[in-house]
């Protein structure tokens, strides 16, 4: 993806010229945001639980079981966001003949492993 395509995908640049904080053109639904936030809150609770387990000197196997649970939850969260990205952002850009978005999508899929 070239340096201009990132700005083109958002439709605008910040005043200072920074493209680091891009925004979706199609907003997420209230229900979708609430579901994602609920998932994040549960993961934060799990992470705080792991912290407490460490403070309490809990058995390593129990800690690792909770780590695996958080990793799985985070992976699921990422797949939901990726699915939404493909269905909205990527489709919108392809409709605008910006096929470079496919390179970005492939890179994101690779990162999700």
């Amino acid at each position: 993806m070239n340096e201009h395509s990132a700005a083109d995908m958002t439709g605008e640049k910040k005043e200072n010229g920074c493209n680091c904080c891009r925004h979706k053109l199609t907003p997420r639904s209230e229900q979708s945001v609430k579901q994602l936030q609920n998932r994040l809150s549960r993961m934060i609770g799990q992470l705080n639980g792991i912290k407490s387990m460490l403070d309490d000197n809990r058995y390593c196997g129990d800690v690792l079981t909770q780590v695996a649970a958080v990793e799985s939850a985070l992976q699921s969260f990422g797949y939901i966001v990726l699915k939404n990205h493909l269905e909205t952002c990527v489709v919108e850009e392809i409709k605008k003949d910006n096929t470079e978005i496919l390179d970005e999508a492939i890179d994101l899929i690779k990162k999700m492993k």
Side-chain angles (χ1 to χ4, degrees):
M1 181 161 52
N2 68 33
E3 64 184 278
H4 301 292
S5 58
D8 294 343
M9 282 187 265
T10 64
E12 42 183 274
K13 268 189 176 184
K14 292 179 85 174
E15 286 181 24
N16 63 4
C18 170
N19 287 330
C20 58
C21 302
R22 299 185 290 168
H23 292 86
K24 287 175 60 63
L25 292 176
T26 301
R28 293 176 182 88
S29 70
E30 265 187 60
Q31 180 183 2
S32 176
V33 170
K34 185 173 180 164
Q35 288 173 342
L36 289 170
Q37 288 175 342
N38 286 340
R39 283 176 175 267
L40 281 175
S41 293
R42 282 194 300 271
M43 285 183 278
I44 290 167
Q46 287 176 298
L47 288 170
N48 286 330
I50 292 169
K51 182 180 182 306
S52 295
M53 291 175 81
L54 292 175
D55 292 343
D56 193 33
N57 198 35
R58 295 280 297 276
Y59 181 66
C60 299
D62 294 342
V63 174
L64 290 171
T65 297
Q66 292 305 308
V67 168
V70 173
E71 286 178 335
S72 178
L74 189 57
Q75 189 79 39
S76 294
F77 178 89
Y79 285 134
I80 292 168
V81 174
L82 177 63
K83 181 180 184 286
N84 179 265
H85 179 60
L86 295 172
E87 293 172 345
T88 59
C89 303
V90 173
V91 169
E92 290 165 0
E93 289 303 311
I94 289 172
K95 286 180 179 178
K96 293 188 229 173
D97 292 327
N98 177 9
T99 56
E100 291 178 7
I101 190 73
L102 294 174
D103 292 332
E104 179 195 64
I106 290 167
D107 288 342
L108 291 171
I109 292 167
K110 286 178 185 175
K111 287 178 184 178
M112 293 299 300
K113 59 178 174 164

